[in-house]
Amino acid sequence: MKYVSTRGKAPVLGFDDVLLSGLARDGGLYVPESWPTFSAAEMKRLRGLSYTGLAVEVMAPFVSDCLSREELAGLVARAYAPFSHTAIAPLKQLDTNLWLMELFSGPTLAFKDYALQFLGQAFDHVLKKRGEKVTIVGATSGDTGSAAIEACRDREAIDIFILFPNGRVSDVQRRQMTTVPSSNVRCLALDGTFDDCQDAVKAMFNHTAFRDRYNLSAVNSINWARIMAQVVYYFWAGLRLGAPERPVVFSVPTGNFGNVFAGFVAEKMGLPVARFGIGSNSNDILTRFFETGAMTMAGVVPTISPSMDIQVSSNFERLLFDLCGRNGAEVERMMLQFRQSGSYALEETALAAARARFSGLRLSDAETQAVIREIHATTGELLDPHSAIGVEAGRRLTGIEPGTPVVCLATAHPAKFPQAVQDASGVYPGLPARLSDLFDRPERMTVIPNDVAAIERFVAEQVES
Ligand SMILES: *Cc1c(COP(=O)(O)O)cnc(C)c1O
């Protein structure tokens, strides 16, 4: 499989180069040249597989130019070995047609582990094969940092530096990063905001001499390999609840549009999907887009679902590319307009196609807490705020054939956001046993000023020592 950029100008690359490069050189995102598909008969054969067996089948067509089936199976087995639930992505029934897919049995208790654990294995494999080393630098407002650290810890070919805003992430989130004792992991508590962290990372990438000298690499959600690994659990749920004979609905709490885009890819590959519900908090750029047809930036406001406090959904560009008939020049025009004016609009046919697949719902913090309270009272399940938004977006979908299973993605364990969950339900969610000593483990981090030169000096010293 070869990969093309959504803006049509960057070189066509194979999987390994797409994995290591992240963003395309023309500013676009890499997508497969074409969508591989499964026939109904093939899907029936996939039904009996374990999660890891299914992962190999779903991902094989995307990596065949770079990994043998045995190599892929090895990466998958190692990626999902640390998951605490033997089903990897267990499905729980909440109501007659309402299901919860729990995506938090990975090491850091959020769905990002499903992609990043695989990404860490894939990086390691490709780098060893090429005899190269990379320096990963990333900024995090919470969940991505710990998931990336867990995925890259103790890997000889990788040094990883994660910047987070000092004093502005939760204690659980900080400790999940700073208590990892591996020598290739460094946590930098930057005196500034999350935006300052992101700006510092961008500045290092734009500093070409520094970037090339230390072979900088990124693991944020614009990396295609992350989307690819997430396609697997859509097939997993669909095959359990009726595919290929009957369609299911997926409902997904959304920030960067990465997770739900993986569902769209599953549909392109043949999985029958009735519709996608997408939930947002008051940072509702996507919900407003589906209402009005215009993508218009607004300021970010803090909410109790902080992993979705985002104003630009970068992965939406991959959907746009498909909606525009894979016309890279058209995507580039819209993206430039967005950067310049803060807004762009989709033409009628493309908008109608998008609306036929996706329905948005926005919930305030108070509404989110009401959902957590009600689901706990009626089913005994404790939902984290992100998952609660996904469940409500699924329950409020209209125009669905009666009896269609609605699968809501639970993206984080409630113990990652204990205060919001307790305020809503009266119950304080405890950490699972494997993390129960998190608050006793020693922390290791470096407080650093909001100064790119100082950060670069620190990275250089550490990598060279
Ligand atoms: C990252 C995250 C999201 C948003 O996922 P996207 O792929 O950015 O749409 C939702 N919930 C949780 C808990 C997250 O960590």
Side-chain angles (χ1 to χ4, degrees), residues 234 248-252 257 259-268 271-279 290 354-360 393-394 397 400 407:
Y234 287 91
V248 302
V249 164
F250 287 106
S251 183
V252 189
F257 206 74
N259 198 1
V260 70
F261 184 74
F264 180 78
V265 173
E267 187 182 20
K268 286 276 169 194
L271 188 72
V273 178
R275 189 191 289 266
F276 294 98
I278 54 176
F290 287 106
R355 282 179 169 155
R357 307 308 315 124
F358 300 92
S359 304
L397 273 182
I400 302 297
V407 183

PDB file of all heavy atoms in Angstrom, residues 234 248-252 257 259-268 271-279 290 354-360 393-394 397 400 407:
ATOM      1  N   TYR A 234     -13.485  -1.076  15.697  1.00  0.00           N
ATOM      2  CA  TYR A 234     -14.790  -0.913  15.040  1.00  0.00           C
ATOM      3  C   TYR A 234     -15.225  -2.246  14.411  1.00  0.00           C
ATOM      4  O   TYR A 234     -16.378  -2.644  14.519  1.00  0.00           O
ATOM      5  CB  TYR A 234     -14.723   0.197  13.988  1.00  0.00           C
ATOM      6  CG  TYR A 234     -14.664   1.579  14.603  1.00  0.00           C
ATOM      7  CD1 TYR A 234     -13.442   2.186  14.884  1.00  0.00           C
ATOM      8  CD2 TYR A 234     -15.827   2.259  14.945  1.00  0.00           C
ATOM      9  CE1 TYR A 234     -13.382   3.447  15.465  1.00  0.00           C
ATOM     10  CE2 TYR A 234     -15.784   3.517  15.530  1.00  0.00           C
ATOM     11  CZ  TYR A 234     -14.557   4.098  15.792  1.00  0.00           C
ATOM     12  OH  TYR A 234     -14.505   5.339  16.380  1.00  0.00           O
ATOM     13  N   VAL A 248     -24.557  -1.481  12.464  1.00  0.00           N
ATOM     14  CA  VAL A 248     -24.612  -0.928  13.811  1.00  0.00           C
ATOM     15  C   VAL A 248     -24.374   0.583  13.726  1.00  0.00           C
ATOM     16  O   VAL A 248     -23.917   1.097  12.713  1.00  0.00           O
ATOM     17  CB  VAL A 248     -23.557  -1.560  14.756  1.00  0.00           C
ATOM     18  CG1 VAL A 248     -23.736  -3.060  14.847  1.00  0.00           C
ATOM     19  CG2 VAL A 248     -22.146  -1.219  14.325  1.00  0.00           C
ATOM     20  N   VAL A 249     -24.724   1.264  14.821  1.00  0.00           N
ATOM     21  CA  VAL A 249     -24.429   2.683  14.970  1.00  0.00           C
ATOM     22  C   VAL A 249     -23.222   2.797  15.884  1.00  0.00           C
ATOM     23  O   VAL A 249     -23.109   2.041  16.843  1.00  0.00           O
ATOM     24  CB  VAL A 249     -25.628   3.415  15.620  1.00  0.00           C
ATOM     25  CG1 VAL A 249     -25.220   4.787  16.150  1.00  0.00           C
ATOM     26  CG2 VAL A 249     -26.778   3.535  14.644  1.00  0.00           C
ATOM     27  N   PHE A 250     -22.301   3.707  15.585  1.00  0.00           N
ATOM     28  CA  PHE A 250     -21.217   3.997  16.525  1.00  0.00           C
ATOM     29  C   PHE A 250     -21.371   5.426  17.033  1.00  0.00           C
ATOM     30  O   PHE A 250     -21.680   6.335  16.254  1.00  0.00           O
ATOM     31  CB  PHE A 250     -19.850   3.859  15.840  1.00  0.00           C
ATOM     32  CG  PHE A 250     -19.461   2.438  15.574  1.00  0.00           C
ATOM     33  CD1 PHE A 250     -19.509   1.923  14.284  1.00  0.00           C
ATOM     34  CD2 PHE A 250     -19.066   1.607  16.610  1.00  0.00           C
ATOM     35  CE1 PHE A 250     -19.157   0.600  14.031  1.00  0.00           C
ATOM     36  CE2 PHE A 250     -18.716   0.286  16.369  1.00  0.00           C
ATOM     37  CZ  PHE A 250     -18.767  -0.223  15.083  1.00  0.00           C
ATOM     38  N   SER A 251     -21.157   5.597  18.322  1.00  0.00           N
ATOM     39  CA  SER A 251     -21.217   6.942  18.876  1.00  0.00           C
ATOM     40  C   SER A 251     -19.914   7.228  19.621  1.00  0.00           C
ATOM     41  O   SER A 251     -19.487   6.444  20.463  1.00  0.00           O
ATOM     42  CB  SER A 251     -22.413   7.064  19.813  1.00  0.00           C
ATOM     43  OG  SER A 251     -22.491   8.387  20.272  1.00  0.00           O
ATOM     44  N   VAL A 252     -19.279   8.338  19.278  1.00  0.00           N
ATOM     45  CA  VAL A 252     -17.887   8.579  19.670  1.00  0.00           C
ATOM     46  C   VAL A 252     -17.718   9.995  20.223  1.00  0.00           C
ATOM     47  O   VAL A 252     -18.090  10.962  19.541  1.00  0.00           O
ATOM     48  CB  VAL A 252     -16.959   8.418  18.428  1.00  0.00           C
ATOM     49  CG1 VAL A 252     -15.499   8.441  18.845  1.00  0.00           C
ATOM     50  CG2 VAL A 252     -17.282   7.143  17.660  1.00  0.00           C
ATOM     51  N   PHE A 257     -11.108  14.382  15.913  1.00  0.00           N
ATOM     52  CA  PHE A 257     -11.761  13.610  14.855  1.00  0.00           C
ATOM     53  C   PHE A 257     -10.941  12.388  14.449  1.00  0.00           C
ATOM     54  O   PHE A 257     -11.195  11.771  13.418  1.00  0.00           O
ATOM     55  CB  PHE A 257     -12.037  14.489  13.610  1.00  0.00           C
ATOM     56  CG  PHE A 257     -13.189  14.011  12.774  1.00  0.00           C
ATOM     57  CD1 PHE A 257     -14.499  14.186  13.193  1.00  0.00           C
ATOM     58  CD2 PHE A 257     -12.967  13.371  11.569  1.00  0.00           C
ATOM     59  CE1 PHE A 257     -15.560  13.726  12.420  1.00  0.00           C
ATOM     60  CE2 PHE A 257     -14.025  12.908  10.774  1.00  0.00           C
ATOM     61  CZ  PHE A 257     -15.319  13.099  11.204  1.00  0.00           C
ATOM     62  N   ASN A 259     -10.440   9.372  16.328  1.00  0.00           N
ATOM     63  CA  ASN A 259     -11.098   8.130  16.678  1.00  0.00           C
ATOM     64  C   ASN A 259     -12.266   7.831  15.736  1.00  0.00           C
ATOM     65  O   ASN A 259     -12.356   6.743  15.160  1.00  0.00           O
ATOM     66  CB  ASN A 259     -11.576   8.244  18.135  1.00  0.00           C
ATOM     67  CG  ASN A 259     -11.882   6.904  18.748  1.00  0.00           C
ATOM     68  OD1 ASN A 259     -11.734   5.861  18.123  1.00  0.00           O
ATOM     69  ND2 ASN A 259     -12.330   6.931  19.986  1.00  0.00           N
ATOM     70  N   VAL A 260     -13.153   8.798  15.543  1.00  0.00           N
ATOM     71  CA  VAL A 260     -14.327   8.534  14.700  1.00  0.00           C
ATOM     72  C   VAL A 260     -13.919   8.387  13.229  1.00  0.00           C
ATOM     73  O   VAL A 260     -14.553   7.640  12.476  1.00  0.00           O
ATOM     74  CB  VAL A 260     -15.426   9.603  14.903  1.00  0.00           C
ATOM     75  CG1 VAL A 260     -15.030  10.941  14.326  1.00  0.00           C
ATOM     76  CG2 VAL A 260     -16.745   9.121  14.319  1.00  0.00           C
ATOM     77  N   PHE A 261     -12.822   9.028  12.827  1.00  0.00           N
ATOM     78  CA  PHE A 261     -12.380   8.825  11.450  1.00  0.00           C
ATOM     79  C   PHE A 261     -11.962   7.374  11.229  1.00  0.00           C
ATOM     80  O   PHE A 261     -12.174   6.811  10.147  1.00  0.00           O
ATOM     81  CB  PHE A 261     -11.237   9.778  11.060  1.00  0.00           C
ATOM     82  CG  PHE A 261     -10.846   9.628   9.617  1.00  0.00           C
ATOM     83  CD1 PHE A 261     -11.655  10.130   8.612  1.00  0.00           C
ATOM     84  CD2 PHE A 261      -9.707   8.914   9.258  1.00  0.00           C
ATOM     85  CE1 PHE A 261     -11.333   9.948   7.275  1.00  0.00           C
ATOM     86  CE2 PHE A 261      -9.380   8.725   7.928  1.00  0.00           C
ATOM     87  CZ  PHE A 261     -10.186   9.247   6.933  1.00  0.00           C
ATOM     88  N   ALA A 262     -11.399   6.748  12.259  1.00  0.00           N
ATOM     89  CA  ALA A 262     -11.055   5.324  12.140  1.00  0.00           C
ATOM     90  C   ALA A 262     -12.322   4.499  11.890  1.00  0.00           C
ATOM     91  O   ALA A 262     -12.293   3.511  11.145  1.00  0.00           O
ATOM     92  CB  ALA A 262     -10.338   4.844  13.394  1.00  0.00           C
ATOM     93  N   GLY A 263     -13.452   4.901  12.480  1.00  0.00           N
ATOM     94  CA  GLY A 263     -14.730   4.225  12.212  1.00  0.00           C
ATOM     95  C   GLY A 263     -15.156   4.405  10.765  1.00  0.00           C
ATOM     96  O   GLY A 263     -15.650   3.475  10.119  1.00  0.00           O
ATOM     97  N   PHE A 264     -14.937   5.591  10.246  1.00  0.00           N
ATOM     98  CA  PHE A 264     -15.254   5.878   8.846  1.00  0.00           C
ATOM     99  C   PHE A 264     -14.411   4.992   7.921  1.00  0.00           C
ATOM    100  O   PHE A 264     -14.894   4.481   6.914  1.00  0.00           O
ATOM    101  CB  PHE A 264     -14.998   7.367   8.583  1.00  0.00           C
ATOM    102  CG  PHE A 264     -15.288   7.820   7.186  1.00  0.00           C
ATOM    103  CD1 PHE A 264     -16.593   8.042   6.768  1.00  0.00           C
ATOM    104  CD2 PHE A 264     -14.257   8.039   6.283  1.00  0.00           C
ATOM    105  CE1 PHE A 264     -16.871   8.471   5.475  1.00  0.00           C
ATOM    106  CE2 PHE A 264     -14.519   8.466   4.983  1.00  0.00           C
ATOM    107  CZ  PHE A 264     -15.828   8.681   4.581  1.00  0.00           C
ATOM    108  N   VAL A 265     -13.152   4.791   8.290  1.00  0.00           N
ATOM    109  CA  VAL A 265     -12.285   3.907   7.497  1.00  0.00           C
ATOM    110  C   VAL A 265     -12.840   2.476   7.526  1.00  0.00           C
ATOM    111  O   VAL A 265     -12.895   1.796   6.494  1.00  0.00           O
ATOM    112  CB  VAL A 265     -10.829   3.932   8.023  1.00  0.00           C
ATOM    113  CG1 VAL A 265      -9.974   2.887   7.311  1.00  0.00           C
ATOM    114  CG2 VAL A 265     -10.223   5.323   7.852  1.00  0.00           C
ATOM    115  N   ALA A 266     -13.272   2.016   8.706  1.00  0.00           N
ATOM    116  CA  ALA A 266     -13.845   0.667   8.803  1.00  0.00           C
ATOM    117  C   ALA A 266     -15.032   0.534   7.850  1.00  0.00           C
ATOM    118  O   ALA A 266     -15.198  -0.479   7.166  1.00  0.00           O
ATOM    119  CB  ALA A 266     -14.272   0.374  10.246  1.00  0.00           C
ATOM    120  N   GLU A 267     -15.859   1.576   7.795  1.00  0.00           N
ATOM    121  CA  GLU A 267     -17.006   1.543   6.880  1.00  0.00           C
ATOM    122  C   GLU A 267     -16.541   1.482   5.424  1.00  0.00           C
ATOM    123  O   GLU A 267     -17.074   0.714   4.624  1.00  0.00           O
ATOM    124  CB  GLU A 267     -17.896   2.761   7.115  1.00  0.00           C
ATOM    125  CG  GLU A 267     -19.178   2.667   6.316  1.00  0.00           C
ATOM    126  CD  GLU A 267     -20.087   3.877   6.458  1.00  0.00           C
ATOM    127  OE1 GLU A 267     -19.617   4.958   6.851  1.00  0.00           O
ATOM    128  OE2 GLU A 267     -21.283   3.721   6.139  1.00  0.00           O
ATOM    129  N   LYS A 268     -15.528   2.282   5.098  1.00  0.00           N
ATOM    130  CA  LYS A 268     -14.983   2.248   3.735  1.00  0.00           C
ATOM    131  C   LYS A 268     -14.463   0.848   3.376  1.00  0.00           C
ATOM    132  O   LYS A 268     -14.456   0.447   2.220  1.00  0.00           O
ATOM    133  CB  LYS A 268     -13.816   3.241   3.602  1.00  0.00           C
ATOM    134  CG  LYS A 268     -14.247   4.681   3.551  1.00  0.00           C
ATOM    135  CD  LYS A 268     -14.631   5.031   2.135  1.00  0.00           C
ATOM    136  CE  LYS A 268     -15.332   6.374   2.060  1.00  0.00           C
ATOM    137  NZ  LYS A 268     -16.002   6.587   0.776  1.00  0.00           N
ATOM    138  N   LEU A 271     -17.386  -2.569   6.436  1.00  0.00           N
ATOM    139  CA  LEU A 271     -18.198  -2.792   7.632  1.00  0.00           C
ATOM    140  C   LEU A 271     -19.502  -2.005   7.517  1.00  0.00           C
ATOM    141  O   LEU A 271     -19.473  -0.799   7.282  1.00  0.00           O
ATOM    142  CB  LEU A 271     -17.420  -2.334   8.879  1.00  0.00           C
ATOM    143  CG  LEU A 271     -18.073  -2.687  10.211  1.00  0.00           C
ATOM    144  CD1 LEU A 271     -17.964  -4.187  10.484  1.00  0.00           C
ATOM    145  CD2 LEU A 271     -17.461  -1.895  11.365  1.00  0.00           C
ATOM    146  N   PRO A 272     -20.670  -2.682   7.661  1.00  0.00           N
ATOM    147  CA  PRO A 272     -21.921  -1.923   7.568  1.00  0.00           C
ATOM    148  C   PRO A 272     -22.155  -1.055   8.809  1.00  0.00           C
ATOM    149  O   PRO A 272     -22.199  -1.558   9.923  1.00  0.00           O
ATOM    150  CB  PRO A 272     -23.002  -3.004   7.439  1.00  0.00           C
ATOM    151  CG  PRO A 272     -22.381  -4.277   7.882  1.00  0.00           C
ATOM    152  CD  PRO A 272     -20.890  -4.133   7.831  1.00  0.00           C
ATOM    153  N   VAL A 273     -22.261   0.256   8.601  1.00  0.00           N
ATOM    154  CA  VAL A 273     -22.477   1.202   9.704  1.00  0.00           C
ATOM    155  C   VAL A 273     -23.708   2.035   9.361  1.00  0.00           C
ATOM    156  O   VAL A 273     -23.790   2.608   8.268  1.00  0.00           O
ATOM    157  CB  VAL A 273     -21.251   2.136   9.888  1.00  0.00           C
ATOM    158  CG1 VAL A 273     -21.500   3.149  11.002  1.00  0.00           C
ATOM    159  CG2 VAL A 273     -19.986   1.324  10.185  1.00  0.00           C
ATOM    160  N   ALA A 274     -24.695   2.073  10.280  1.00  0.00           N
ATOM    161  CA  ALA A 274     -25.915   2.830  10.004  1.00  0.00           C
ATOM    162  C   ALA A 274     -25.636   4.327  10.050  1.00  0.00           C
ATOM    163  O   ALA A 274     -26.132   5.093   9.234  1.00  0.00           O
ATOM    164  CB  ALA A 274     -27.006   2.456  11.007  1.00  0.00           C
ATOM    165  N   ARG A 275     -24.845   4.735  11.051  1.00  0.00           N
ATOM    166  CA  ARG A 275     -24.522   6.157  11.188  1.00  0.00           C
ATOM    167  C   ARG A 275     -23.509   6.342  12.313  1.00  0.00           C
ATOM    168  O   ARG A 275     -23.361   5.468  13.169  1.00  0.00           O
ATOM    169  CB  ARG A 275     -25.788   6.941  11.534  1.00  0.00           C
ATOM    170  CG  ARG A 275     -25.606   8.446  11.479  1.00  0.00           C
ATOM    171  CD  ARG A 275     -26.804   9.122  12.095  1.00  0.00           C
ATOM    172  NE  ARG A 275     -27.972   8.998  11.258  1.00  0.00           N
ATOM    173  CZ  ARG A 275     -28.335   9.918  10.361  1.00  0.00           C
ATOM    174  NH1 ARG A 275     -27.613  11.004  10.217  1.00  0.00           N
ATOM    175  NH2 ARG A 275     -29.413   9.760   9.630  1.00  0.00           N
ATOM    176  N   PHE A 276     -22.819   7.474  12.309  1.00  0.00           N
ATOM    177  CA  PHE A 276     -21.917   7.828  13.403  1.00  0.00           C
ATOM    178  C   PHE A 276     -22.503   8.992  14.190  1.00  0.00           C
ATOM    179  O   PHE A 276     -22.834  10.030  13.605  1.00  0.00           O
ATOM    180  CB  PHE A 276     -20.549   8.261  12.870  1.00  0.00           C
ATOM    181  CG  PHE A 276     -19.790   7.162  12.182  1.00  0.00           C
ATOM    182  CD1 PHE A 276     -19.808   7.039  10.795  1.00  0.00           C
ATOM    183  CD2 PHE A 276     -19.065   6.237  12.914  1.00  0.00           C
ATOM    184  CE1 PHE A 276     -19.119   6.024  10.150  1.00  0.00           C
ATOM    185  CE2 PHE A 276     -18.364   5.215  12.286  1.00  0.00           C
ATOM    186  CZ  PHE A 276     -18.401   5.105  10.897  1.00  0.00           C
ATOM    187  N   GLY A 277     -22.628   8.820  15.507  1.00  0.00           N
ATOM    188  CA  GLY A 277     -22.944   9.949  16.377  1.00  0.00           C
ATOM    189  C   GLY A 277     -21.629  10.499  16.885  1.00  0.00           C
ATOM    190  O   GLY A 277     -20.732   9.739  17.241  1.00  0.00           O
ATOM    191  N   ILE A 278     -21.477  11.812  16.875  1.00  0.00           N
ATOM    192  CA  ILE A 278     -20.248  12.388  17.441  1.00  0.00           C
ATOM    193  C   ILE A 278     -20.627  13.394  18.514  1.00  0.00           C
ATOM    194  O   ILE A 278     -21.474  14.264  18.308  1.00  0.00           O
ATOM    195  CB  ILE A 278     -19.325  13.019  16.373  1.00  0.00           C
ATOM    196  CG1 ILE A 278     -20.069  14.041  15.536  1.00  0.00           C
ATOM    197  CG2 ILE A 278     -18.743  11.953  15.470  1.00  0.00           C
ATOM    198  CD1 ILE A 278     -19.152  14.723  14.547  1.00  0.00           C
ATOM    199  N   GLY A 279     -20.013  13.236  19.689  1.00  0.00           N
ATOM    200  CA  GLY A 279     -20.336  14.097  20.824  1.00  0.00           C
ATOM    201  C   GLY A 279     -19.219  15.080  21.084  1.00  0.00           C
ATOM    202  O   GLY A 279     -18.038  14.757  20.942  1.00  0.00           O
ATOM    203  N   PHE A 290     -21.725  20.440  11.411  1.00  0.00           N
ATOM    204  CA  PHE A 290     -22.794  19.606  10.856  1.00  0.00           C
ATOM    205  C   PHE A 290     -24.144  20.334  10.874  1.00  0.00           C
ATOM    206  O   PHE A 290     -24.995  20.073  10.048  1.00  0.00           O
ATOM    207  CB  PHE A 290     -22.851  18.249  11.573  1.00  0.00           C
ATOM    208  CG  PHE A 290     -21.699  17.360  11.179  1.00  0.00           C
ATOM    209  CD1 PHE A 290     -20.641  17.113  12.041  1.00  0.00           C
ATOM    210  CD2 PHE A 290     -21.646  16.802   9.903  1.00  0.00           C
ATOM    211  CE1 PHE A 290     -19.565  16.319  11.656  1.00  0.00           C
ATOM    212  CE2 PHE A 290     -20.575  16.010   9.517  1.00  0.00           C
ATOM    213  CZ  PHE A 290     -19.538  15.767  10.387  1.00  0.00           C
ATOM    214  N   ALA A 354     -21.749  14.251   4.027  1.00  0.00           N
ATOM    215  CA  ALA A 354     -21.247  14.225   5.407  1.00  0.00           C
ATOM    216  C   ALA A 354     -22.395  14.066   6.392  1.00  0.00           C
ATOM    217  O   ALA A 354     -22.338  13.266   7.331  1.00  0.00           O
ATOM    218  CB  ALA A 354     -20.469  15.510   5.699  1.00  0.00           C
ATOM    219  N   ARG A 355     -23.479  14.812   6.167  1.00  0.00           N
ATOM    220  CA  ARG A 355     -24.617  14.765   7.085  1.00  0.00           C
ATOM    221  C   ARG A 355     -25.313  13.409   7.078  1.00  0.00           C
ATOM    222  O   ARG A 355     -25.948  13.026   8.048  1.00  0.00           O
ATOM    223  CB  ARG A 355     -25.626  15.855   6.722  1.00  0.00           C
ATOM    224  CG  ARG A 355     -25.199  17.220   7.210  1.00  0.00           C
ATOM    225  CD  ARG A 355     -26.218  18.253   6.800  1.00  0.00           C
ATOM    226  NE  ARG A 355     -25.977  19.526   7.459  1.00  0.00           N
ATOM    227  CZ  ARG A 355     -26.383  20.685   6.966  1.00  0.00           C
ATOM    228  NH1 ARG A 355     -27.042  20.740   5.819  1.00  0.00           N
ATOM    229  NH2 ARG A 355     -26.145  21.803   7.624  1.00  0.00           N
ATOM    230  N   ALA A 356     -25.201  12.701   5.955  1.00  0.00           N
ATOM    231  CA  ALA A 356     -25.826  11.372   5.891  1.00  0.00           C
ATOM    232  C   ALA A 356     -25.077  10.368   6.761  1.00  0.00           C
ATOM    233  O   ALA A 356     -25.625   9.352   7.162  1.00  0.00           O
ATOM    234  CB  ALA A 356     -25.865  10.894   4.437  1.00  0.00           C
ATOM    235  N   ARG A 357     -23.812  10.635   7.055  1.00  0.00           N
ATOM    236  CA  ARG A 357     -23.006   9.695   7.837  1.00  0.00           C
ATOM    237  C   ARG A 357     -22.850  10.095   9.295  1.00  0.00           C
ATOM    238  O   ARG A 357     -22.713   9.246  10.167  1.00  0.00           O
ATOM    239  CB  ARG A 357     -21.580   9.550   7.239  1.00  0.00           C
ATOM    240  CG  ARG A 357     -21.466   9.213   5.775  1.00  0.00           C
ATOM    241  CD  ARG A 357     -22.282   8.000   5.331  1.00  0.00           C
ATOM    242  NE  ARG A 357     -22.196   6.849   6.195  1.00  0.00           N
ATOM    243  CZ  ARG A 357     -23.258   6.251   6.740  1.00  0.00           C
ATOM    244  NH1 ARG A 357     -24.476   6.700   6.544  1.00  0.00           N
ATOM    245  NH2 ARG A 357     -23.102   5.206   7.489  1.00  0.00           N
ATOM    246  N   PHE A 358     -22.806  11.417   9.587  1.00  0.00           N
ATOM    247  CA  PHE A 358     -22.469  11.894  10.932  1.00  0.00           C
ATOM    248  C   PHE A 358     -23.547  12.807  11.498  1.00  0.00           C
ATOM    249  O   PHE A 358     -24.082  13.642  10.778  1.00  0.00           O
ATOM    250  CB  PHE A 358     -21.158  12.703  10.895  1.00  0.00           C
ATOM    251  CG  PHE A 358     -19.963  11.931  10.405  1.00  0.00           C
ATOM    252  CD1 PHE A 358     -19.617  11.951   9.053  1.00  0.00           C
ATOM    253  CD2 PHE A 358     -19.192  11.167  11.272  1.00  0.00           C
ATOM    254  CE1 PHE A 358     -18.514  11.242   8.586  1.00  0.00           C
ATOM    255  CE2 PHE A 358     -18.093  10.452  10.813  1.00  0.00           C
ATOM    256  CZ  PHE A 358     -17.758  10.487   9.471  1.00  0.00           C
ATOM    257  N   SER A 359     -23.849  12.629  12.796  1.00  0.00           N
ATOM    258  CA  SER A 359     -24.722  13.574  13.490  1.00  0.00           C
ATOM    259  C   SER A 359     -24.014  14.052  14.739  1.00  0.00           C
ATOM    260  O   SER A 359     -23.545  13.239  15.535  1.00  0.00           O
ATOM    261  CB  SER A 359     -26.028  12.899  13.915  1.00  0.00           C
ATOM    262  OG  SER A 359     -26.671  12.330  12.815  1.00  0.00           O
ATOM    263  N   GLY A 360     -23.943  15.350  14.937  1.00  0.00           N
ATOM    264  CA  GLY A 360     -23.232  15.915  16.085  1.00  0.00           C
ATOM    265  C   GLY A 360     -24.162  16.226  17.242  1.00  0.00           C
ATOM    266  O   GLY A 360     -25.343  16.518  17.052  1.00  0.00           O
ATOM    267  N   ALA A 393     -24.748  11.098  22.965  1.00  0.00           N
ATOM    268  CA  ALA A 393     -24.819  11.328  21.512  1.00  0.00           C
ATOM    269  C   ALA A 393     -25.436  10.113  20.823  1.00  0.00           C
ATOM    270  O   ALA A 393     -26.175  10.241  19.853  1.00  0.00           O
ATOM    271  CB  ALA A 393     -23.429  11.624  20.945  1.00  0.00           C
ATOM    272  N   GLY A 394     -25.167   8.915  21.343  1.00  0.00           N
ATOM    273  CA  GLY A 394     -25.759   7.704  20.779  1.00  0.00           C
ATOM    274  C   GLY A 394     -27.243   7.602  21.094  1.00  0.00           C
ATOM    275  O   GLY A 394     -28.058   7.279  20.227  1.00  0.00           O
ATOM    276  N   LEU A 397     -29.624   9.924  18.935  1.00  0.00           N
ATOM    277  CA  LEU A 397     -29.682   9.829  17.473  1.00  0.00           C
ATOM    278  C   LEU A 397     -31.100   9.508  17.032  1.00  0.00           C
ATOM    279  O   LEU A 397     -31.764   8.658  17.619  1.00  0.00           O
ATOM    280  CB  LEU A 397     -28.763   8.716  16.977  1.00  0.00           C
ATOM    281  CG  LEU A 397     -27.308   9.051  16.714  1.00  0.00           C
ATOM    282  CD1 LEU A 397     -26.599   7.816  16.177  1.00  0.00           C
ATOM    283  CD2 LEU A 397     -27.189  10.184  15.709  1.00  0.00           C
ATOM    284  N   ILE A 400     -32.935   6.220  13.014  1.00  0.00           N
ATOM    285  CA  ILE A 400     -32.242   4.935  12.905  1.00  0.00           C
ATOM    286  C   ILE A 400     -33.287   3.824  12.900  1.00  0.00           C
ATOM    287  O   ILE A 400     -34.246   3.875  13.659  1.00  0.00           O
ATOM    288  CB  ILE A 400     -31.295   4.739  14.123  1.00  0.00           C
ATOM    289  CG1 ILE A 400     -30.280   5.891  14.214  1.00  0.00           C
ATOM    290  CG2 ILE A 400     -30.604   3.394  14.076  1.00  0.00           C
ATOM    291  CD1 ILE A 400     -29.341   6.000  13.057  1.00  0.00           C
ATOM    292  N   VAL A 407     -23.459   1.327  19.508  1.00  0.00           N
ATOM    293  CA  VAL A 407     -22.226   1.057  20.257  1.00  0.00           C
ATOM    294  C   VAL A 407     -21.563   2.380  20.626  1.00  0.00           C
ATOM    295  O   VAL A 407     -21.142   3.135  19.746  1.00  0.00           O
ATOM    296  CB  VAL A 407     -21.236   0.214  19.422  1.00  0.00           C
ATOM    297  CG1 VAL A 407     -20.001  -0.121  20.247  1.00  0.00           C
ATOM    298  CG2 VAL A 407     -21.905  -1.051  18.912  1.00  0.00           C
TER     299      VAL A 407
END
